[in-house]
Amino acid sequence: MKKVVIALSVLLWLCLFFLNACKKDDTTTGPTPYNLVIPPGLPPMPIPTNNPLTVEGVLLGRKLFYDPILSGNNTQSCGSCHKQKFAFVDSSLQYSVGIDNLPGTRNAMPLFNLGWNTKGLFWDGGATNLESQVIAPILNPLEMHDLLPNVINKLRAHSEYPALFKAAFGTDSITVPLLMKAIAQFERTLISGNSKYDRYLIGKESLTPQELSGLSLYTDMSKGDCNHCHVLGSTFTDFEYRNTGLDSVAVDIGRGLITLNPTDNGKFKTPTLRNIALTAPYMHDGRFSNLNQVLNFYNTGFHYAQNLDVNLQTAVKGRLSTQDMLDIIAFLNTLTDTEFITNSSFSKP
Ligand code: HEC
Ligand code: HEC
């Protein structure tokens, strides 16, 4: 009996010791570094030195991402248009609708593997990094339509945010740069790299003959030639801006709006093809509702527009048979990562 009492008191003492030790750590060392796990096949992610990932920062960013408090009438969050089950695009809408019930002019983009994109965000590369991107949708009258001083005042008056900002950044003041940093931290954790194709690459799964045929057509320069731009493996894009001849004269001039250089008119950022089966409709204006239409476009539908990419200028129309196109689609379907869209770390907290 006595032994049990001694054992229990030792245990209690140990518990208290460790509890105190933890407590001490929290106040003296600040936020805890976030352990970003990069799947095989994706390179190390460049993280800006002035915004390292921390557990508290990512958590705050995640809460903000899903909080309608960032919109003018407190009804719309980033997550309203970027839904996890669709790899963070806006369901099957061609154009997302903002708080004033007005549609935008471009199709929502998926949000994952954004940390590897160092060549500009949005279809036209109008934002240079994840931090600065955050304020665009908040201010956009067709999206969340709010004013930054208003957003900051709402966050300061909130019952939880002051403590969450303090835990993440060690300061009592809530500012726009910290809001941008927190959301960017959360966005960098959105990593997708566990598709059937990824598992095939590490020998854990095999592809069917049709999927393998699609893969070889994808890389064959006289057939699909998708690989030139949607580079195989890793992020499935080189993030370059290109004119794919969607129209003979571009309606939305895309990259040209940003650089003001006429040779950039009609160029848009090459999107990733990971999770492509989940993100219909397709292209910057969401004009194609399924992958069949996309393949027909690349096979015969593209226009000899002024700035048409050189890889398409040389592509022979009608080079793909109906079966070829079905095979490429079968391959594209192996790029879906169901673990990513069900990962509870990315859902509304
Ligand atoms: C009303 C719908 C809507 C809301 C709300 C919204 N977005 Fe978006 N998002 C879009 C659309 C549409 C695009 C493409 C815009 C373009 O290229 O002009 C986009 C693009 C992006 C991109 C660029 C991705 C890439 O690969 O270049 C990021 C990042 C992003 N949004 C994050 C956010 C964040 C963070 C919030 C909240 C602060 C947010 N979005 C709120 C619709 C929305
Ligand atoms: C010359 C470079 C290039 C080639 C070659 C190319 N693409 Fe694209 N792809 C792009 C660009 C750029 C876009 C965005 C165009 C836009 O919206 O204006 C795009 C868009 C797409 C989209 C829509 C993605 C989305 O999120 O809306 C799909 C799907 C696609 N391509 C599949 C393919 C397939 C399959 C092939 C091969 C048959 C291929 N691409 C060949 C550059 C290319």
Side-chain angles (χ1 to χ4, degrees), residues 8 58 81 133 155 175 181 219 249 265 286 304 322 326 334 336:
L8 276 177
V58 169
C81 297
Q133 182 280 327
L155 293 173
T175 61
K181 282 185 173 180
T219 52
V249 178
N265 286 357
Y304 293 100
T322 308
L326 290 174
T334 71
T336 303

Side-chain angles (χ1 to χ4, degrees), residues 288-304:
F288 298 133
S289 49
N290 57 53
L291 289 171
N292 247 320
Q293 290 174 1
V294 172
L295 266 297
N296 276 307
F297 158 76
Y298 279 112
N299 193 28
T300 50
F302 60 93
H303 296 87
Y304 293 100

Side-chain angles (χ1 to χ4, degrees), residues 209-244:
Q210 186 183 17
E211 290 160 351
L212 285 169
S213 156
L215 168 59
S216 84
L217 290 160
Y218 187 98
T219 52
D220 185 335
M221 281 167 64
S222 64
K223 288 289 184 179
D225 193 29
C226 319
N227 190 37
H228 245 123
C229 309
H230 305 280
V231 188
L232 199 68
S234 189
T235 55
F236 275 86
T237 167
D238 57 5
F239 301 110
E240 291 295 346
Y241 301 91
R242 297 192 174 85
N243 183 321
T244 52

Side-chain angles (χ1 to χ4, degrees), residues 50-51 131-132 134-135 148 152 165 169 174-184:
N50 68 353
N51 193 19
E131 281 76 7
S132 64
V134 167
I135 48 176
L148 293 177
I152 295 300
F165 273 85
F169 299 109
I174 295 183
T175 61
V176 175
L178 295 183
L179 165 72
M180 295 173 9
K181 282 185 173 180
I183 294 186

Side-chain angles (χ1 to χ4, degrees), residues 64-65 70 76-82 88 90 94-99 102 104-112 114 117 120-125 127 130 133-138 140 142-144 183-184 187 239 252 268-269 284:
L64 288 165
F65 183 91
L70 300 185
Q76 190 172 53
S77 71
C78 312
S80 308
C81 297
H82 296 287
F88 290 96
D90 193 354
Q94 181 174 19
Y95 301 126
S96 311
V97 176
I99 65 163
L102 297 169
T105 56
R106 290 186 186 155
N107 189 231
M109 304 179 84
L111 304 184
F112 55 81
L114 295 168
N117 178 352
L121 296 148
F122 294 128
W123 282 106
D124 54 17
L130 277 175
Q133 182 280 327
V134 167
I135 48 176
I138 298 178
N140 190 334
L142 303 179
E143 297 184 349
M144 299 160 88
I183 294 186
E187 288 178 311
F239 301 110
D252 176 346
F268 290 87
K269 187 172 64 193
H284 68 272

